[in-house]
Amino acid sequence: SLTRAEIRAMLHLPDTDLKQTQFYKEVFAEGRLEGRQEGEQQGEIRLLLRLIAHRFGPPEPGVPEHIARLSAAQRGALSEALLDFDTAADLSTWLREHQPPTD
């Protein structure tokens, strides 16, 4: 919750631009990577839900939340399994058998 000026004073930095420090560059790169990963995850979830809606109609209540909690590997497995589903019941069965990881 410190401001740039407070951090600069705490680290005894002159009027150095904090953006030029290695620390800032590393933190910025980490944030960028996390943002990219979150964006990819959200894109996967949206695509799965669109495919489900296109094939079977709107998903049952709770399905979007269930899919959002799946791991990346589980979402990948679902995307492949979805190709073999004939009915929405197949999706329900798959989701019951593949519970999201608990935190």
PDB file of all heavy atoms in Angstrom, residues 21-34:
ATOM      1  N   THR A  21      14.307  -0.154 -12.401  1.00  0.00           N
ATOM      2  CA  THR A  21      14.970  -1.093 -11.501  1.00  0.00           C
ATOM      3  C   THR A  21      14.674  -2.531 -11.917  1.00  0.00           C
ATOM      4  O   THR A  21      13.629  -2.824 -12.505  1.00  0.00           O
ATOM      5  CB  THR A  21      14.510  -0.894 -10.040  1.00  0.00           C
ATOM      6  OG1 THR A  21      13.124  -1.201  -9.944  1.00  0.00           O
ATOM      7  CG2 THR A  21      14.767   0.530  -9.557  1.00  0.00           C
ATOM      8  N   GLN A  22      15.597  -3.416 -11.612  1.00  0.00           N
ATOM      9  CA  GLN A  22      15.410  -4.828 -11.941  1.00  0.00           C
ATOM     10  C   GLN A  22      14.206  -5.400 -11.199  1.00  0.00           C
ATOM     11  O   GLN A  22      13.447  -6.205 -11.739  1.00  0.00           O
ATOM     12  CB  GLN A  22      16.683  -5.619 -11.602  1.00  0.00           C
ATOM     13  CG  GLN A  22      16.642  -7.065 -12.050  1.00  0.00           C
ATOM     14  CD  GLN A  22      16.542  -7.207 -13.566  1.00  0.00           C
ATOM     15  OE1 GLN A  22      17.048  -6.385 -14.320  1.00  0.00           O
ATOM     16  NE2 GLN A  22      15.878  -8.256 -14.016  1.00  0.00           N
ATOM     17  N   PHE A  23      14.033  -4.968  -9.953  1.00  0.00           N
ATOM     18  CA  PHE A  23      12.896  -5.440  -9.159  1.00  0.00           C
ATOM     19  C   PHE A  23      11.583  -5.129  -9.865  1.00  0.00           C
ATOM     20  O   PHE A  23      10.724  -5.988 -10.024  1.00  0.00           O
ATOM     21  CB  PHE A  23      12.917  -4.801  -7.765  1.00  0.00           C
ATOM     22  CG  PHE A  23      11.699  -5.104  -6.947  1.00  0.00           C
ATOM     23  CD1 PHE A  23      11.557  -6.346  -6.340  1.00  0.00           C
ATOM     24  CD2 PHE A  23      10.691  -4.172  -6.790  1.00  0.00           C
ATOM     25  CE1 PHE A  23      10.421  -6.642  -5.587  1.00  0.00           C
ATOM     26  CE2 PHE A  23       9.561  -4.464  -6.043  1.00  0.00           C
ATOM     27  CZ  PHE A  23       9.432  -5.698  -5.439  1.00  0.00           C
ATOM     28  N   TYR A  24      11.432  -3.888 -10.305  1.00  0.00           N
ATOM     29  CA  TYR A  24      10.201  -3.484 -10.987  1.00  0.00           C
ATOM     30  C   TYR A  24       9.996  -4.313 -12.248  1.00  0.00           C
ATOM     31  O   TYR A  24       8.897  -4.790 -12.526  1.00  0.00           O
ATOM     32  CB  TYR A  24      10.248  -1.992 -11.337  1.00  0.00           C
ATOM     33  CG  TYR A  24       9.013  -1.525 -12.064  1.00  0.00           C
ATOM     34  CD1 TYR A  24       7.906  -1.057 -11.365  1.00  0.00           C
ATOM     35  CD2 TYR A  24       8.933  -1.568 -13.453  1.00  0.00           C
ATOM     36  CE1 TYR A  24       6.755  -0.639 -12.020  1.00  0.00           C
ATOM     37  CE2 TYR A  24       7.791  -1.158 -14.122  1.00  0.00           C
ATOM     38  CZ  TYR A  24       6.711  -0.695 -13.406  1.00  0.00           C
ATOM     39  OH  TYR A  24       5.586  -0.294 -14.065  1.00  0.00           O
ATOM     40  N   LYS A  25      11.053  -4.500 -13.019  1.00  0.00           N
ATOM     41  CA  LYS A  25      10.948  -5.260 -14.263  1.00  0.00           C
ATOM     42  C   LYS A  25      10.520  -6.700 -14.002  1.00  0.00           C
ATOM     43  O   LYS A  25       9.707  -7.264 -14.740  1.00  0.00           O
ATOM     44  CB  LYS A  25      12.270  -5.214 -15.016  1.00  0.00           C
ATOM     45  CG  LYS A  25      12.588  -3.832 -15.570  1.00  0.00           C
ATOM     46  CD  LYS A  25      13.961  -3.791 -16.215  1.00  0.00           C
ATOM     47  CE  LYS A  25      14.291  -2.389 -16.674  1.00  0.00           C
ATOM     48  NZ  LYS A  25      15.636  -2.292 -17.251  1.00  0.00           N
ATOM     49  N   GLU A  26      11.072  -7.306 -12.936  1.00  0.00           N
ATOM     50  CA  GLU A  26      10.702  -8.683 -12.607  1.00  0.00           C
ATOM     51  C   GLU A  26       9.247  -8.768 -12.149  1.00  0.00           C
ATOM     52  O   GLU A  26       8.507  -9.660 -12.567  1.00  0.00           O
ATOM     53  CB  GLU A  26      11.630  -9.238 -11.525  1.00  0.00           C
ATOM     54  CG  GLU A  26      13.038  -9.513 -12.026  1.00  0.00           C
ATOM     55  CD  GLU A  26      13.996  -9.904 -10.919  1.00  0.00           C
ATOM     56  OE1 GLU A  26      13.552 -10.097  -9.762  1.00  0.00           O
ATOM     57  OE2 GLU A  26      15.208 -10.007 -11.208  1.00  0.00           O
ATOM     58  N   VAL A  27       8.832  -7.855 -11.290  1.00  0.00           N
ATOM     59  CA  VAL A  27       7.456  -7.843 -10.802  1.00  0.00           C
ATOM     60  C   VAL A  27       6.488  -7.590 -11.954  1.00  0.00           C
ATOM     61  O   VAL A  27       5.451  -8.242 -12.076  1.00  0.00           O
ATOM     62  CB  VAL A  27       7.268  -6.786  -9.684  1.00  0.00           C
ATOM     63  CG1 VAL A  27       5.804  -6.572  -9.349  1.00  0.00           C
ATOM     64  CG2 VAL A  27       8.044  -7.195  -8.445  1.00  0.00           C
ATOM     65  N   PHE A  28       6.835  -6.675 -12.831  1.00  0.00           N
ATOM     66  CA  PHE A  28       5.993  -6.368 -13.985  1.00  0.00           C
ATOM     67  C   PHE A  28       5.863  -7.591 -14.890  1.00  0.00           C
ATOM     68  O   PHE A  28       4.767  -7.923 -15.357  1.00  0.00           O
ATOM     69  CB  PHE A  28       6.571  -5.181 -14.761  1.00  0.00           C
ATOM     70  CG  PHE A  28       5.677  -4.692 -15.859  1.00  0.00           C
ATOM     71  CD1 PHE A  28       4.597  -3.872 -15.581  1.00  0.00           C
ATOM     72  CD2 PHE A  28       5.911  -5.057 -17.175  1.00  0.00           C
ATOM     73  CE1 PHE A  28       3.760  -3.418 -16.591  1.00  0.00           C
ATOM     74  CE2 PHE A  28       5.088  -4.615 -18.197  1.00  0.00           C
ATOM     75  CZ  PHE A  28       4.014  -3.796 -17.900  1.00  0.00           C
ATOM     76  N   ALA A  29       6.972  -8.303 -15.127  1.00  0.00           N
ATOM     77  CA  ALA A  29       6.943  -9.503 -15.968  1.00  0.00           C
ATOM     78  C   ALA A  29       6.075 -10.586 -15.333  1.00  0.00           C
ATOM     79  O   ALA A  29       5.311 -11.275 -16.029  1.00  0.00           O
ATOM     80  CB  ALA A  29       8.361 -10.017 -16.209  1.00  0.00           C
ATOM     81  N   GLU A  30       6.186 -10.756 -14.013  1.00  0.00           N
ATOM     82  CA  GLU A  30       5.350 -11.738 -13.320  1.00  0.00           C
ATOM     83  C   GLU A  30       3.874 -11.385 -13.449  1.00  0.00           C
ATOM     84  O   GLU A  30       3.029 -12.255 -13.697  1.00  0.00           O
ATOM     85  CB  GLU A  30       5.740 -11.826 -11.851  1.00  0.00           C
ATOM     86  CG  GLU A  30       7.069 -12.503 -11.600  1.00  0.00           C
ATOM     87  CD  GLU A  30       7.502 -12.430 -10.135  1.00  0.00           C
ATOM     88  OE1 GLU A  30       6.650 -12.101  -9.262  1.00  0.00           O
ATOM     89  OE2 GLU A  30       8.676 -12.700  -9.867  1.00  0.00           O
ATOM     90  N   GLY A  31       3.541 -10.122 -13.282  1.00  0.00           N
ATOM     91  CA  GLY A  31       2.154  -9.675 -13.407  1.00  0.00           C
ATOM     92  C   GLY A  31       1.627  -9.876 -14.811  1.00  0.00           C
ATOM     93  O   GLY A  31       0.472 -10.288 -15.003  1.00  0.00           O
ATOM     94  N   ARG A  32       2.457  -9.606 -15.783  1.00  0.00           N
ATOM     95  CA  ARG A  32       2.056  -9.790 -17.177  1.00  0.00           C
ATOM     96  C   ARG A  32       1.773 -11.270 -17.460  1.00  0.00           C
ATOM     97  O   ARG A  32       0.788 -11.609 -18.096  1.00  0.00           O
ATOM     98  CB  ARG A  32       3.146  -9.265 -18.102  1.00  0.00           C
ATOM     99  CG  ARG A  32       2.823  -9.446 -19.557  1.00  0.00           C
ATOM    100  CD  ARG A  32       3.938  -8.912 -20.417  1.00  0.00           C
ATOM    101  NE  ARG A  32       3.480  -7.642 -20.942  1.00  0.00           N
ATOM    102  CZ  ARG A  32       4.257  -6.715 -21.447  1.00  0.00           C
ATOM    103  NH1 ARG A  32       5.552  -6.897 -21.464  1.00  0.00           N
ATOM    104  NH2 ARG A  32       3.753  -5.619 -21.943  1.00  0.00           N
ATOM    105  N   LEU A  33       2.643 -12.170 -16.955  1.00  0.00           N
ATOM    106  CA  LEU A  33       2.460 -13.602 -17.153  1.00  0.00           C
ATOM    107  C   LEU A  33       1.170 -14.076 -16.487  1.00  0.00           C
ATOM    108  O   LEU A  33       0.391 -14.829 -17.077  1.00  0.00           O
ATOM    109  CB  LEU A  33       3.657 -14.376 -16.609  1.00  0.00           C
ATOM    110  CG  LEU A  33       3.570 -15.896 -16.688  1.00  0.00           C
ATOM    111  CD1 LEU A  33       3.465 -16.356 -18.138  1.00  0.00           C
ATOM    112  CD2 LEU A  33       4.772 -16.532 -16.004  1.00  0.00           C
ATOM    113  N   GLU A  34       0.940 -13.638 -15.253  1.00  0.00           N
ATOM    114  CA  GLU A  34      -0.285 -14.018 -14.543  1.00  0.00           C
ATOM    115  C   GLU A  34      -1.517 -13.537 -15.292  1.00  0.00           C
ATOM    116  O   GLU A  34      -2.507 -14.265 -15.428  1.00  0.00           O
ATOM    117  CB  GLU A  34      -0.278 -13.468 -13.122  1.00  0.00           C
ATOM    118  CG  GLU A  34       0.679 -14.176 -12.201  1.00  0.00           C
ATOM    119  CD  GLU A  34       0.735 -13.561 -10.807  1.00  0.00           C
ATOM    120  OE1 GLU A  34      -0.157 -12.746 -10.473  1.00  0.00           O
ATOM    121  OE2 GLU A  34       1.668 -13.886 -10.058  1.00  0.00           O
TER     122      GLU A  34
END
